[in-house]
Amino acid sequence: MTLPAFGLGTFRLKGQTVFDTVTNALDLGYRAIDTAQIYENEADIGRALAASGVKRDDLYLTTKIWVDNFSRDKLIPSLKDSLSKLGTDRVDLTLIHWPSPANAVSMDEYLGALLEARAQGLTRAIGVSNFTIALLQQAIAIAGPDQLATNQIELSPYLQNRKLAEFARAQGVPVTSYMTLAYGKVLNDPVLVKIAQAHGATTAQVALAWAMQQGYAVIPSSTKRENLASNMKACDLRLSDDDMQQVATLDRNDRQANPASLAPAWD
């Protein structure tokens, strides 16, 4: 099963806002939706999916297991609860949202439970999020080669995460970029503005195209229908080698997601 290159992120979207966003996105042609237990929006996304009339088999749904549910006795019940909220009998991809803080639950335990969830048909694929090179090495050793559908990491023109991305690629683990627009920080970058003008594109499209052109999946988020439609056009934008080299110069290790209670020792 191939990881979609482009989808909708729903971080920080709740209630009617996430319902309207998902409804608009599906109407525009989005078919991959990314959520998480900690986002507290699975039920509202489920309502939007049900109301859309889009066939379940045409959708690619991703959710993430929160750290409080990592233990063997909690992980599968928590995933079943997520499925109930989403109104489906399985998701397409389930991720470990963050590595277990202070290794409170061993990776053997939570990845073992996730593998069992897949064996039970609750999820079609499994993966991880916010894993470093060392953690990814450990996860591959536990789950086996070619078993991880993705490592979802923060990656933007301002945080290019090259060592980790290159390691993941070498191990056959696809990378999903979240916060590709760095909370909007990159949208006014002069380099991106110039590239965008040359292509008759937006800076958001340039940043998203830059990521996808390197083989990363992207899951941008917006509450505005016009921005949702505009972001999709990044799939058709092709940047030149010179454009890509210019974006490469923007890396400044500017990380947005770095919660003290969860973050590992970043590469």
Side-chain angles (χ1 to χ4, degrees), residues 163-241:
K163 286 184 180 179
L164 176 54
E166 288 168 5
F167 176 80
R169 181 180 287 115
Q171 297 299 313
V173 179
V175 167
T176 299
S177 160
Y178 73 79
M179 292 185 187
T180 316
L181 307 181
Y183 277 144
K185 280 189 174 184
V186 304
L187 297 183
N188 295 314
D189 186 273
V191 171
L192 296 184
V193 169
K194 185 176 180 180
I195 294 171
Q197 289 173 342
H199 287 275
T202 67
T203 48
Q205 290 165 5
V206 170
L208 295 169
W210 163 82
M212 286 188 285
Q213 213 159 304
Q214 294 178 85
Y216 310 142
V218 296
I219 46 172
S221 174
S222 179
T223 59
K224 296 180 179 179
R225 184 181 174 95
E226 58 268 30
N227 289 344
L228 291 169
S230 178
N231 287 345
M232 284 189 78
K233 295 179 180 178
C235 298
D236 300 319
L237 175 60
R238 186 71 185 175
L239 303 180
S240 69
D241 290 344

Side-chain angles (χ1 to χ4, degrees), residues 35-40 42 63-83 85 94-101 103-117 122 262:
T35 183
Q37 293 175 342
I38 198 64
Y39 296 174
E40 298 180 342
E42 290 171 318
T63 195
K64 310 179 197 76
I65 305 294
W66 187 240
V67 296
D68 294 343
N69 298 322
F70 281 179
S71 63
R72 192 174 299 278
D73 62 332
K74 290 183 179 179
L75 191 147
I76 287 178
S78 80
L79 179 54
K80 288 180 176 178
D81 184 53
S82 291
L83 297 182
K85 290 174 180 175
T94 303
L95 306 179
I96 294 299
H97 203 153
W98 289 87
S100 183
N103 203 34
V105 179
S106 73
M107 195 182 299
D108 278 303
E109 180 170 348
Y110 62 74
L111 280 185
L114 193 56
L115 286 164
E116 175 59 27
L122 304 176
L262 294 169

